[in-house]
Amino acid sequence: ANGGSTSSDETGCIRINGSGSYTTINAAIEAASNGDVITLCAGDYDERVIIDKAVSVTGPASGAPAISNAPSDDSTVSVRSDNVELSRVTINAPGTGVYVGEFDSVSLKVLTFSATGDTAVRASGSTEMLVQASNFSSLDHGVIHLDEGGSMRVVNCAFEGIAGYATRVRTGATLSLEGNDFFNITEDE
C-alpha cells in the first residue's frame, strides 16, 4: 500500500463507476478497468498516485477539495498509460506535481497546484496532452515543461506569482497556449 487517506469517511469513499468503498486512490486504480471513472471524496490523500490504466480520476465538483500530497520527492502523480484524465484535484508536491511519460491523450483538467518542489507538470514525449482550466499559483519552480517530440494544449489556465518559467518547451515539441491568464510572473531567461 502506498499510504492512506485521512478523509472523514474511513470506510472508503472512493468509488469506481459509482460503487465500491476504496480508502486509497491507488487501491481504486488497481481494482479499476480501462475506461472506468474513479471519483474521489474531499480530503487529504497522502500517497504517490500511479495511474497505469486508461481511467478518469476526478475529485469533487464543489465544496472541499480532494488533495493529493506526495510523501516523497517523487512525482505526486505519475501517469503511465494513454487515455488518462485527471481532474478536480489539488496537488501538493515536494517534487514534481504530475509527471507524464511517453503516453498519449492525457488530460489534466481543473487542477490546483498550490505547492511544488519542482515542475508542476512535466511531460516527456507525450502527445495530444491537454491542460485545461487549471490554477498555478505562487510557485517557485517551473510550471509546465514539455520535452522533445511532445505536443500539448494549455487552455484557460491561470498562472499567478510564478518565480520560475511558466512554460518551457524543448526543441521539436509543440505547445499551444489558448485563453490563459498570466499575473505577476518573474521574468527569467
Side-chain angles (χ1 to χ4, degrees), residues 82 99-104 122-129 145-151 173:
D82 295 331
Y99 177 79
V100 182
E102 294 184 16
F103 298 102
D104 304 325
R122 174 88 189 243
S124 295
S126 309
T127 62
E128 298 177 37
M129 275 193 68
H145 188 153
L146 181 59
D147 284 349
E148 296 174 15
S151 63

Side-chain angles (χ1 to χ4, degrees), residues 135-138 157-162 180-186:
N135 184 356
F136 304 94
S137 180
S138 300
C157 292
F159 298 82
E160 183 171 6
I162 307 301
N180 298 289
D181 291 319
F182 296 90
F183 306 101
N184 302 321
I185 306 295
T186 302

Side-chain angles (χ1 to χ4, degrees), residues 16 38 57 71 78 83 108 128 131 151 155 159 178:
I16 300 172
I38 298 167
V57 178
S78 179
N83 303 307
L108 307 175
E128 298 177 37
V131 179
S151 63
V155 181
F159 298 82
E178 306 163 29

